[in-house]
Amino acid sequence: MSESARARSQFLVLLALREGGKHGYEIARHIADKSRGFFSISYGALYPVLHKLEQDGLITGAWESSGDGASAGEGQRRRVYTLTRAGHKALAEEREHQQRETAALRALMGKVPGHFPAVEYALQWLAQRMPADDRVVLVHGDFRTGNFMVTPDG
């Protein structure tokens, strides 16, 4: 794995753990699900990343029982990973770096035809705040300027 791929994998794992502890399968699923399949980490690549992050003090792992056994105490044991204080700090620093890099790439690429981040943001904001039955919206805007207004229909 190249150094940039290794760094990307470490960043993805830290992102997956920012909302709380997860075991390996949950980490891999979180990354794939949240990125809509754009990013994925095989289990063969994931566990060396987890070990490295743990060695570096950015995450900690603890064995827990899954509770799936037929009687108490017979469940499978799995290692659940959580961010340490140093991990939270490293994640914040890397997020800032990634945001600067993304902004620089956007500036180099110029305006992407048909891509309107303001509309995407507004629709995500509405989806989080509106009941599922009320998610009908109107989008008013000017495709030449990229200025849009999103309003609930009705």
Side-chain angles (χ1 to χ4, degrees):
M1 186 181 312
S2 73
E3 192 58 39
S4 62
R6 190 178 339 275
R8 175 65 54 111
S9 295
Q10 290 176 359
F11 179 54
L12 293 173
V13 169
L14 294 176
L15 284 170
L17 294 174
R18 78 175 183 257
E19 297 168 2
K22 292 179 179 59
H23 58 81
Y25 176 79
E26 289 175 314
I27 293 168
R29 289 298 332 141
H30 179 90
I31 291 167
D33 290 348
K34 288 289 187 172
S35 71
R36 296 183 180 152
F38 188 83
F39 295 112
S40 64
I41 297 181
S42 70
Y43 300 116
L46 175 61
Y47 287 99
V49 170
L50 291 169
H51 292 282
K52 173 73 170 132
L53 291 170
E54 196 168 14
Q55 275 182 332
D56 292 347
L58 302 180
I59 64 173
T60 185
W63 288 104
E64 293 184 1
S65 175
S66 67
D68 294 336
S71 63
E74 290 185 16
Q76 283 188 329
R77 287 174 33 107
R78 57 189 176 197
R79 196 151 174 88
V80 175
Y81 298 91
T82 56
L83 289 177
T84 63
R85 180 174 287 143
H88 281 283
K89 182 179 181 209
L91 175 58
E93 290 170 358
E94 186 60 23
R95 278 179 63 120
E96 190 174 305
H97 170 77
Q98 291 292 329
Q99 288 169 341
R100 287 192 313 270
E101 186 175 296
T102 299
L105 284 171
R106 281 191 180 133
L108 285 170
M109 291 186 332
K111 190 171 182 176
V112 178
H115 179 73
F116 303 99
V119 173
E120 291 174 13
Y121 176 81
L123 291 173
Q124 288 172 357
W125 185 88
L126 283 169
Q128 292 171 354
R129 287 162 182 78
M130 294 175 68
D133 294 341
D134 294 337
R135 289 190 185 158
V136 178
V137 296
L138 295 174
V139 179
H140 310 275
D142 184 343
F143 284 93
R144 289 173 289 129
T145 64
N147 295 320
F148 292 90
M149 180 174 70
V150 180
T151 58
D153 186 21

